[in-house]
Amino acid sequence: METLRQPLLQISGLQKSFAAPAGGRHRIVSVAEFSLTAGLQLALAGESGSGKTTFLHLIAGILQPDAGTIHFNGEPVSTFSESQRDRFRARNLGYIFQTFNLLPGYTCLENVLLGMSFGPGVDRGRAQQLLERVGLGDRLQHRPQQLSTGQQQRVAVARALANRPKLVLADEPTGNLDRKNSRAALALIREACREDGAALLLVSHDAELLGQFDQVSDFSQINQTVHLEEIA
Amino acid sequence: MTIFSIVLRSLRQHALSCAVTSASVALAGGLLLTVWVVKTQSQAAFTGINGGFDAVLGARGSQLQLVLNAVFHLEASPGNVVWQDFLDLQNNPDVELAVPLAVGDNFHGWRIVGTTPDLFQKSEYAPGKKFELRPGGNWFDPARRSAVVGSFVAEKMKLKVGDRFHPFHGLIYDEQRQHAETYVVVGMLKPSNTPADRVIWIPLEGVQRMSGHHAGADTEISAVLVKLKAGSALAGFQLENYYNKQGNHLTFAWPIGRVIAELFDKVGWFDRVLTLVAWLVAFVATGSILASIYNSINERRRELAILRALGARRTTVFSVIVLEAATISAIGVALGFGVYAVLISVVTEIIRSQTGVVLEPFASNPVMFWEPAAFIVLGACAGIIPACKAYRTDVANNLGPYS
């Protein structure tokens, strides 16, 4: 039944390269075809340096591809102007980073509110509800540095869901956590995405984490630049 | 969360540098306000003060010196006027009132001026305002060694009715030059906020006949305050022509306001230098806003990248930085009014003690509206360069490690 649905994310011919320090360019991403159905949870397995983060940045519109198209809900995101991509990201995506990227000067509640500020608008009640859902209802006014690493990750999860995203991108979300916290964090991310109806695209090299997903794809099969390809 | 709340959190994070830069803006703002208000108010106050008179007649010399001596009780007298000249002027049909003044003595540095009761009883130092005595006092008796003390002198010297004192010769206090005569304080003026507050008034004959004054002093005076009759529009021109062009031993300073305005023209360069210094301080303060925010951008790249990753546009990040600079400036401007209050209180007191002129530092003045606006605009402009740096922040490279 899943395959009959309209893909949420449709990528074709995607390419991205960067200038190499020694001259020339390195192609980091070369994805011929990739799609993700709405509400689906997919893990991409890949080694460090395989271009996973760049791939997620391209989907998020943080980076602009050299070639290829990205369609999100039928809209050609890859042709958007920068401000359109900012708007797209603020309204449709949640992003969980390996290092959480919480703002240290903001409280937990303010960090979550920030996740809504540039998109649908601030909803203080929802922000509190999200923090309660991730077990931090009594830490609303704490700053990130007053929390444990696991708690910080939970704030990051709440922030990623704050704008009711259609897709959550998670880049090694448990990379900084111990095994116990790692399992708990992943369970929380998956459950929260499921409850909110958001698709989840997670990249990791952690075999145990990947083992918890029903659908896992090998990123090296998707990204055809297995080794950094030097372009003349 | 609005842009402004993001700005406030950023300021909270960088509270120390924000406080230091705001303080420098406050200093500049307070300085500029003080210079401007003192300039405009003192010019208005000094040119507006004429003691209720139109002109001053005195010995041949500088009109400015004459006015400063007779009206503001500053400077030395340019010379003496013989009594007959006073009588001639008093009998002029265009003159409503002529009041003789004689100076040359002091009491611990406070000027003693001899005059006639006409000064207090017939003239108004400002429209509808006559000099008044504090309860329990009397005007001096021209036939006795009695004195009426200006309010400021009374306050500083703690003089009261019934006190006795010896005048000292000259306008500068020298304890070796005490006169033998003893004067009794018979009255104290209520504050008039005019230079009269800084004077001890005694009968004209008292100064003229004081022991130790030169022979002939009893038929001479220092100056004459002149009030022309209302409606005699040409009288001032005619008397100025008579004394200054046709005569050769007297000076007729008319109108008093014009003479003082010339003084401000002469010292205008000083105002301009002070204003320039204040603006330079303002630009330095603005530069400190620029430097502090610009330097902080490096350590805030990640924070800016996170904001961008959450959907903030480049223009939003740009606006946050410009607004942050403007807010630092606005805080400085607000604190600047406190600096102004302190500075102006000190300057007002100095001017009052030196001239008797009282400024109104908290009266509405256009500078109080345009200065805050100008400083906030300057602050916002100072934010543009760091904002451009923030605008160019590379999101992907500043978000953290690539997995």
Side-chain angles (χ1 to χ4, degrees), chain B residues 188-265:
Chain B
M188 290 186 294
L189 290 179
K190 285 183 178 176
S192 63
N193 292 339
T194 68
D197 294 344
R198 298 176 60 255
V199 171
I200 296 174
W201 301 94
I202 66 171
L204 184 68
E205 292 80 358
V207 175
Q208 288 177 317
R209 295 174 187 165
M210 196 80 75
S211 58
H213 283 184
H214 70 275
D218 57 344
T219 60
E220 291 178 346
I221 55 175
S222 304
V224 185
L225 296 171
V226 184
K227 184 169 178 59
L228 301 172
K229 280 185 178 161
S232 45
L234 291 174
F237 287 108
Q238 287 168 347
L239 287 170
E240 186 187 32
N241 190 48
Y242 174 73
Y243 286 110
N244 297 348
K245 292 180 181 161
Q246 295 175 24
N248 62 4
H249 68 291
L250 293 171
T251 294
F252 189 73
W254 171 86
I256 291 172
R258 193 257 308 155
V259 175
I260 293 299
E262 282 175 8
L263 167 67
F264 279 92
D265 286 344

Side-chain angles (χ1 to χ4, degrees), chain B residues 187-391:
Chain B
M188 290 186 294
L189 290 179
K190 285 183 178 176
S192 63
N193 292 339
T194 68
D197 294 344
R198 298 176 60 255
V199 171
I200 296 174
W201 301 94
I202 66 171
L204 184 68
E205 292 80 358
V207 175
Q208 288 177 317
R209 295 174 187 165
M210 196 80 75
S211 58
H213 283 184
H214 70 275
D218 57 344
T219 60
E220 291 178 346
I221 55 175
S222 304
V224 185
L225 296 171
V226 184
K227 184 169 178 59
L228 301 172
K229 280 185 178 161
S232 45
L234 291 174
F237 287 108
Q238 287 168 347
L239 287 170
E240 186 187 32
N241 190 48
Y242 174 73
Y243 286 110
N244 297 348
K245 292 180 181 161
Q246 295 175 24
N248 62 4
H249 68 291
L250 293 171
T251 294
F252 189 73
W254 171 86
I256 291 172
R258 193 257 308 155
V259 175
I260 293 299
E262 282 175 8
L263 167 67
F264 279 92
D265 286 344
K266 283 178 188 167
V267 297
W269 64 270
F270 185 64
D271 280 342
R272 286 190 286 278
V273 168
L274 279 180
T275 308
L276 181 68
V277 168
W279 276 114
L280 282 175
V281 174
F283 281 111
V284 170
T286 306
S288 73
I289 294 178
L290 190 157
S292 79
I293 297 183
Y294 190 87
N295 290 334
S296 76
I297 294 293
N298 278 340
E299 67 193 50
R300 290 166 66 183
R301 281 181 191 281
R302 184 150 177 259
E303 178 184 325
L304 296 170
I306 294 168
L307 289 177
R308 293 291 320 283
L310 293 174
R313 297 180 187 187
R314 281 187 194 273
T315 49
T316 306
V317 170
F318 183 91
S319 306
V320 163
I321 301 299
V322 170
L323 192 58
E324 191 174 317
T327 306
I328 290 173
S329 199
I331 293 169
V333 164
L335 295 175
F337 277 93
V339 174
Y340 165 72
V342 173
L343 287 178
I344 198 71
S345 301
V346 173
V347 173
T348 301
E349 188 51 33
I350 291 171
I351 291 176
R352 181 179 168 231
S353 65
Q354 295 299 314
T355 67
V357 174
V358 176
L359 304 184
E360 291 179 30
F362 300 106
S364 177
N365 190 311
V367 72
M368 291 176 182
F369 299 98
W370 65 254
E371 182 266 353
F375 268 57
I376 291 170
V377 169
L378 267 180
C381 290
I384 288 175
I385 292 175
C388 288
K389 194 176 176 185
Y391 184 92

Side-chain angles (χ1 to χ4, degrees), chain A residues 10-63:
Chain A
Q10 180 74 53
I11 292 171
S12 84
L14 189 69
Q15 295 200 352
K16 182 66 182 174
S17 60
F18 294 100
R25 295 185 73 78
H26 282 157
R27 182 172 293 153
I28 306 296
V29 171
S30 180
V31 175
E33 290 293 332
F34 178 83
S35 65
L36 184 70
T37 309
L40 195 74
Q41 297 193 346
L42 174 66
L44 295 179
E47 293 306 311
S48 295
S50 60
K52 303 187 299 291
T53 300
T54 303
F55 183 57
L56 294 191
H57 281 353
L58 287 165
I59 294 170
I62 290 171
L63 291 173

Side-chain angles (χ1 to χ4, degrees), chain A residues 53 82 89 101 110 122 171, chain B residues 1 9 302 314 399 403:
Chain A
T53 300
E82 188 176 46
R89 193 161 57 246
N101 280 337
E110 289 166 348
V122 166
D171 186 1
Chain B
M1 191 167 285
R9 273 158 191 81
R302 184 150 177 259
R314 281 187 194 273
L399 273 178
S403 59

Side-chain angles (χ1 to χ4, degrees), chain A residues 41 89-96 111-117 120-121 123 126-127 129-131 133-134 153-170 185-200, chain B residues 310:
Chain A
Q41 297 193 346
R89 193 161 57 246
R91 289 180 178 273
N92 297 290
L93 296 186
Y95 209 141
I96 304 171
N111 265 289
V112 177
L113 288 172
L114 210 52
M116 308 168 170
S117 300
D123 181 346
R126 175 169 167 77
Q129 203 177 41
L130 281 167
L131 283 167
R133 204 159 100 191
V134 298
Q153 181 61 302
R154 283 190 263 161
V155 177
V157 171
R159 186 181 65 184
L161 294 167
N163 59 343
R164 299 181 192 278
K166 296 183 182 70
L167 172 62
V168 172
L169 302 173
L186 181 66
L188 178 67
I189 292 168
R190 297 192 67 187
E191 186 192 338
C193 287
R194 201 174 295 122
E195 283 176 12
D196 274 37
L200 173 64
Chain B
L310 293 174

Side-chain angles (χ1 to χ4, degrees), chain B residues 32 55 58 75 122 148 164 186 272 312 327 332 341:
Chain B
L32 186 67
E75 283 274 5
K122 292 186 179 173
V148 168
R164 293 167 184 275
V186 295
R272 286 190 286 278
T327 306

Side-chain angles (χ1 to χ4, degrees), chain A residues 209-224:
Chain A
L209 181 146
L210 294 166
Q212 295 176 50
F213 277 80
D214 298 330
Q215 295 196 42
V216 179
S217 296
D218 185 350
F219 188 62
S220 63
Q221 298 297 313
I222 298 167
N223 189 18
Q224 287 150 15

